Amino acid sequence: MIQKYALVTGSAKRLGQDIALKLTEQGYTVLFHYYTSTHEIAKLKKYFLKINKPFYAFKADIKNKNQIKKMAKWINQNFGQLDLLINNVGNYKLADITEYTIEDWDDTIASNLNGAFYCTHYLLDLLKQSKGNIINMGYAGADSIQANVNATAYSISKTGLLILTKSLAKSLGHHKVRVNMVSPGHLENSIDLPTNYKELIPLQRPGTSEDIFNAILFILSNNYVPSINLEVTGGYQL
């Protein structure tokens, strides 16, 4: 069996962790990325020890290009291969745009958009060598331009990430590197899951990490899909 390597940013907890663990079940060697979630990483390390599998994790501030460059160097020196990059980190700070602080604005754009670019930039040679995949995590409505008063910076960052996705897909197609986006709607563990979600979601349930991972598997299994934004929303925002 050919060994495949995947990096999932923000994979210490929540959706990122779920995706990383499911990739492990699919035979990938997953390189976990974290920054402040040291407790969760320690628990993951114990879990991998229990199931007798090697555990690899790198601490880096996604907003800091020098730290991301070091992470890319670590991957190249220790593994020499990368088949899948999932840019999952997504800072989600809510506030009316007129009350949004400069610090929160900078942090959101830097985490959600710049960080994805940094990871792609520094890991691109490895992904070209493997003819690998990049999957960026978006959000429902990333392809529409509309007011989002309480999540303006987040919306801008994810719409920008969609443009980056399409630009990379077009530029890297001849290298057989595919770049796509998966955009979740309301998930069962969303921090702002509305109580009236049955009225908002036609399928009348929030999404699960399994739903998101099935979308990722679809992209990975179809080598003629280079630039889609696959919304996994249960019909939310139709």
Side-chain angles (χ1 to χ4, degrees), residues 25-62:
E25 294 172 3
Q26 293 291 319
Y28 281 84
T29 295
V30 176
L31 315 176
F32 286 76
H33 160 265
Y34 72 105
Y35 184 42
T36 60
S37 302
T38 53
H39 176 68
E40 290 83 357
I41 283 292
K43 289 178 65 176
L44 281 166
K45 187 175 182 179
K46 289 181 180 179
Y47 170 73
F48 273 74
L49 183 64
K50 182 178 180 180
I51 63 175
N52 197 31
K53 286 188 176 182
F55 179 70
Y56 307 104
F58 195 92
K59 178 180 180 179
D61 181 355
I62 203 76

Side-chain angles (χ1 to χ4, degrees), residues 97-108:
I97 186 58
T98 61
E99 299 173 0
Y100 217 70
T101 68
I102 293 293
E103 292 75 18
D104 285 339
W105 176 276
D106 288 347
D107 188 69
T108 300

Side-chain angles (χ1 to χ4, degrees), residues 142-157:
D143 58 353
S144 63
I145 306 299
Q146 59 185 11
N148 193 338
V149 172
N150 290 311
T152 304
Y154 183 82
S155 299
I156 289 171
S157 69

Side-chain angles (χ1 to χ4, degrees), residues 109-123:
I109 300 298
S111 297
N112 302 0
L113 182 55
N114 295 353
F117 179 76
Y118 297 157
C119 288
T120 301
H121 176 81
Y122 288 119
L123 292 165

Side-chain angles (χ1 to χ4, degrees), residues 2 16 67 99 182 187 202 224 229 231 234:
I2 299 174
Q67 292 187 29
E99 299 173 0
V182 172
L187 300 179
Y224 204 60
N229 173 30
E231 291 204 339

Side-chain angles (χ1 to χ4, degrees), residues 8 10 15 27 48-49 61 63 65-66 71-72 75 90 108 140 147 153 155 166 172 190 210 215 218 228 230 236:
V8 183
L15 180 61
F48 273 74
L49 183 64
D61 181 355
K63 304 185 297 296
K65 58 181 177 291
N66 292 323
M71 181 171 68
I75 292 171
T108 300
S155 299
K166 290 180 176 294
L172 293 172
S190 294
E210 189 75 26
F218 167 75
I228 62 169
L230 182 52
Y236 174 63

